Amino acid sequence: MCGIVGAVSTKNIVPVLVQGLQRLEYRGYDSCGVAVNSTTAQMGQAPGLQRARSTDRVAELIAQVNEPTAGLQGFTGIAHTRWATHGAPAVHNAHPHFSRDRIGLVHNGIIENHEELRAELQAKGYVFVSQTDTEVMAHLIDSLYQGDLLQAVFQATQQLHGAYAIAVMAKDEPHRVIGARAGSPLIFGLGQGEHFLASDAMALAGVTNQIVYLAEGDVVDVRVDSYQVYDQQHLPVQREVLTVHAHSGAAELGPYSHYMQKEIFEQPRAIADTLEGIEGIVPELFDNPAHTSPGLAHKVLSEVDSVLILACGTSYYSGCVAKYWIERIAQLPCQVEVASEYRYRDSVPNPRSLVVTISQSGETADTLAALRHAQSLGMPHTLTVCNVSTSAMVRECALAYITRAGVEIGVASTKAFTTQLAGLFLMTLALAKAKGRLSTEAETQHLKAMRHLPVALQSVLALEPQLIAWAQDFASKENALFLGRGLHYPIALEGALKLKEISYIHAEAYPAGELKHGPLALVTNAMPVVTVAPNDTLLEKLKSNLQEVRARGGVLYVLADADTRISSSEGVHVIRMPEHYGDLSPLLHVVPLQLLAYHTACARGTDVDKPRNLAKSVTVE
């Protein structure tokens, strides 16, 4: 979602700030801005805080700051990409926000008590020009400012309720930026003759790889030649400096038309990388690089008696697939919860349950909050499947499996989803083995199938021309229905989500057996019905469901395994999958649905990589 970049330097820092915003565009945003604390008069403007803001893309912001009449330059600055929460996407709501032209601030997160603070500040004479909770913070810090920005931030954060990551600068302290975080991620970067703040290491790719991940409640005082981190009690503290390679080259589009297309075709490589070096199913696969003690994974996997999966969106659907695996192969009861719902309802905690979180970024606010809620209920056995080894999710879980999808820029997740499934399948096998429910023969067969996945995925990607033909039919539709059974019902859910996310076609998914319990009323020849039809034990039941659709004039689009004996006919369009893949079939069947959504969106002319109203990393509730 929103992105922060800040810096203090001995040179004009504006190019670094706007380049950082460009690297954060993948997170999603609807406005952007940059501000500097200039110590010299520029283009007729007095020294002090100056800014440029836009509701267009970062490229337009760069054009603004490069205009001869603008002359935006400075050694100290902050920048931001905003995804609207409080107030519409408009220039007056865009960050950075100023207070009395002496405090400048950018903010990620949501301040829950902003209305009360706004009323108090208005009573003191502060005039608000935006609808944002962020402007409240700028005025609050200004009201407390008495020449020391650090002390003003200390006092302000004690009054804030909610989640925030902020970067603040003061006109009267031109070589200083203060950062603070609670509930939203913020990092500090060390450079030569310059230091940085950012919400994501990707923003600093190519600038520095020396990164400090600030802990919950930390405040950092950033200057040109020094920095100091303070903890929640405002006491000086040392945080570990890590070398982090943010893979800036992954942002190159190459020969593809969109990042989503590129990432769909990167899935064979991503799966191969995620499974690299795995010779057998051992607990050590889930040792957490952040802090796991030797032998902890073996102890946890042996002791747990059930699984609780917490996730959001696409990650939630990967958890739904894993439930089928865990209950059939590991023979453990498994519950899958939408993270944003779990934390707000009364539940029955089980201290022997394995709490599994799934997140591409590892910073998903609802999933982190659900994890902490589970821990507060006395559930200490935690494991995350995550794509970012340095994320909060990894740091806060006892065990971890780090997928290697690489940077995913398209908002609609593709390769992160399939690598999550790979990690969850490994976790299932590890649980089964720990419980004595995985024979040596079965382990060998599963590992063989997993090693073959990259080749199998390449064969599925070769179906793209047939999916383009389907997309031409879908482009003129406004509604679609997706059907699946058993293990493939979550894949139908994911296919419907992809179509609605990027093409804006209303799409719903149902277990095929539920057709006659309501959805069948919607079926007409204007409602395409996509069906995932693997050759499994539910195939004959599924064929009966297909006949129900055809009897009502519905048009079927079927992804069928080669040996299902489902053939194309009038009103029935069939694409044959290259091979049946048993338990791992969901990883193959989801790829055509990704391609269908992608090419339908292209045919409709939507912004594939940055769909309206959506963000990549959802770091607020």
Side-chain angles (χ1 to χ4, degrees):
M1 296 183 75
C2 304
I4 287 175
V5 190
V8 181
S9 180
T10 56
K11 64 185 180 185
N12 177 30
I13 202 63
V14 172
V16 170
L17 295 175
V18 294
Q19 181 187 63
L21 294 187
Q22 286 182 307
R23 296 199 184 284
L24 293 178
E25 284 190 285
Y26 77 96
R27 294 166 69 101
Y29 66 103
D30 43 42
S31 64
C32 53
V34 59
V36 296
N37 192 356
S38 178
T39 57
T40 59
Q42 298 175 37
M43 302 296 175
Q45 297 181 349
L49 302 186
Q50 300 166 16
R51 67 184 168 188
R53 297 182 290 177
S54 173
T55 55
D56 209 327
R57 294 300 179 196
V58 173
E60 196 277 332
L61 180 70
I62 294 173
Q64 273 194 56
V65 301
N66 288 337
E67 286 180 3
T69 55
L72 198 67
Q73 297 183 22
F75 300 144
T76 303
I78 54 178
H80 191 263
T81 52
R82 174 180 185 254
W83 190 79
T85 53
H86 297 74
V91 170
H92 67 275
N93 287 326
H95 303 211
H97 285 282
F98 286 177
S99 178
R100 295 182 175 177
D101 287 328
R102 69 172 187 168
I103 297 294
L105 180 145
V106 293
H107 162 227
N108 290 355
I110 290 179
I111 303 304
E112 295 173 355
N113 61 332
H114 69 97
E115 292 179 344
E116 302 96 302
L117 292 172
R118 182 186 295 263
E120 293 172 11
L121 291 162
Q122 286 174 326
K124 293 179 181 180
Y126 283 91
V127 177
F128 286 79
V129 297
S130 79
Q131 291 79 51
T132 67
D133 52 342
T134 301
E135 190 182 6
V136 172
M137 301 174 71
H139 290 323
L140 177 62
I141 292 171
D142 182 83
S143 72
L144 299 167
Y145 183 65
Q146 296 183 353
D148 187 340
L149 185 59
L150 178 65
Q151 292 303 316
V153 171
F154 279 158
Q155 295 174 52
T157 55
Q158 292 175 333
Q159 300 183 43
L160 300 175
H161 301 155
Y164 59 82
I166 59 174
V168 196
M169 59 185 183
K171 173 186 174 182
D172 297 334
E173 298 179 75
H175 302 293
R176 189 185 203 187
V177 173
I178 304 297
R181 65 149 299 197
S184 290
L186 190 68
I187 65 170
F188 167 72
L190 288 75
Q192 296 294 321
E194 54 192 4
H195 289 142
F196 309 93
L197 288 171
S199 51
D200 187 326
M202 184 73 172
L204 304 181
V207 176
T208 180
N209 60 7
Q210 298 299 292
I211 301 296
V212 174
Y213 286 86
L214 298 176
E216 183 75 0
D218 277 359
V219 176
V220 60
D221 185 356
V222 182
R223 303 173 188 251
V224 172
D225 53 2
S226 67
Y227 73 95
Q228 179 60 59
V229 180
Y230 299 87
D231 64 14
Q232 288 180 315
Q233 285 71 47
H234 303 162
L235 299 174
V237 64
Q238 297 294 319
R239 299 293 184 210
E240 184 181 4
V241 179
L242 302 174
T243 300
V244 176
H245 299 288
H247 308 296
S248 60
E252 300 298 327
L253 189 57
Y256 298 98
S257 299
H258 300 89
Y259 286 108
M260 183 179 179
Q261 184 187 30
K262 176 189 178 189
E263 287 152 11
I264 289 171
F265 277 83
E266 284 177 339
Q267 287 177 110
R269 189 275 308 159
I271 292 291
D273 288 350
T274 295
L275 301 176
E276 184 180 10
I278 294 175
E279 299 298 330
I281 304 301
V282 293
E284 288 75 21
L285 291 172
F286 301 92
D287 282 344
N288 189 332
H291 49 67
T292 292
S293 304
L296 180 60
H298 181 271
K299 180 175 184 292
V300 168
L301 296 180
S302 299
E303 291 182 356
V304 296
D305 63 6
S306 61
V307 179
L308 170 64
I309 297 176
L310 305 171
C312 302
T314 286
S315 296
Y316 170 75
Y317 294 147
S318 70
C320 291
V321 174
K323 175 183 173 71
Y324 286 90
W325 289 334
I326 291 165
E327 295 200 338
R328 193 186 71 77
I329 299 173
Q331 299 172 38
L332 290 175
C334 179
Q335 184 177 358
V336 188
E337 295 264 4
V338 175
S340 59
E341 291 292 316
Y342 170 75
R343 62 180 293 212
Y344 290 118
R345 73 172 185 85
D346 294 332
S347 58
V348 181
N350 175 7
R352 294 190 64 191
S353 186
L354 178 64
V355 179
V356 178
T357 63
I358 311 169
S359 172
Q360 183 269 330
S361 67
E363 305 290 350
T364 308
D366 286 315
T367 308
L368 279 169
L371 167 66
R372 293 162 185 160
H373 178 64
Q375 291 169 324
S376 74
L377 294 177
M379 302 171 73
H381 304 310
T382 57
L383 183 153
T384 188
V385 176
C386 181
N387 194 43
V388 182
S389 62
T390 52
S391 65
M393 205 79 72
V394 173
R395 295 196 301 273
E396 296 187 26
C397 283
L399 307 179
Y401 192 81
I402 308 302
T403 59
R404 298 180 185 175
V407 174
E408 189 177 64
I409 293 176
V411 166
S413 181
T414 52
K415 61 179 179 174
F417 177 74
T418 48
T419 54
Q420 284 171 356
L421 289 177
L424 290 165
F425 192 71
L426 281 173
M427 182 192 76
T428 299
L429 298 182
L431 282 167
K433 190 169 184 179
K435 300 297 181 183
R437 297 164 186 162
L438 184 70
S439 67
T440 301
E441 181 183 3
E443 179 180 353
T444 300
Q445 289 301 315
H446 286 310
L447 287 171
K448 180 180 178 182
M450 295 191 82
R451 293 189 190 103
H452 183 62
L453 271 173
V455 174
L457 283 167
Q458 289 286 10
S459 299
V460 176
L461 289 168
L463 300 173
E464 185 181 31
Q466 298 177 62
L467 273 307
I468 293 173
W470 278 16
Q472 298 304 311
D473 292 346
F474 276 69
S476 61
K477 308 299 183 184
E478 294 302 327
N479 300 281
L481 192 62
F482 286 68
L483 303 177
R485 297 202 71 145
L487 191 62
H488 294 82
Y489 167 50
I491 297 305
L493 287 164
E494 173 63 8
L497 177 62
K498 285 294 157 284
L499 189 67
K500 71 181 78 169
E501 278 182 310
I502 62 171
S503 75
Y504 315 145
I505 293 173
H506 175 250
E508 298 294 337
Y510 283 88
E514 285 293 292
L515 262 179
K516 61 179 69 69
H517 297 290
L520 202 56
L522 297 174
V523 172
T524 69
N525 59 8
M527 168 82 83
V529 179
V530 181
T531 306
V532 182
N535 188 8
D536 58 17
T537 56
L538 291 171
L539 177 62
E540 294 307 316
K541 298 287 187 184
L542 183 62
K543 286 181 178 180
S544 297
N545 302 141
L546 301 187
Q547 291 303 318
E548 292 172 345
V549 172
R550 284 301 299 133
R552 275 76 180 180
V555 180
L556 287 162
Y557 293 81
V558 185
L559 293 170
D561 284 346
D563 49 1
T564 54
R565 298 187 301 280
I566 300 175
S567 301
S568 295
S569 60
E570 183 179 357
V572 181
H573 306 275
V574 177
I575 291 179
R576 298 205 174 280
M577 299 290 287
E579 56 185 306
H580 176 57
Y581 223 66
D583 289 315
L584 292 170
S585 176
L587 281 84
L588 302 190
H589 273 88
V590 76
V591 174
L593 301 182
Q594 295 169 349
L595 288 168
L596 174 62
Y598 169 72
H599 286 292
T600 301
C602 290
R604 288 168 68 94
T606 63
D607 190 342
V608 173
D609 289 329
K610 301 182 182 72
R612 67 190 182 202
N613 305 332
L614 300 180
K616 183 63 182 174
S617 179
V618 185
T619 54
V620 298
E621 287 189 67

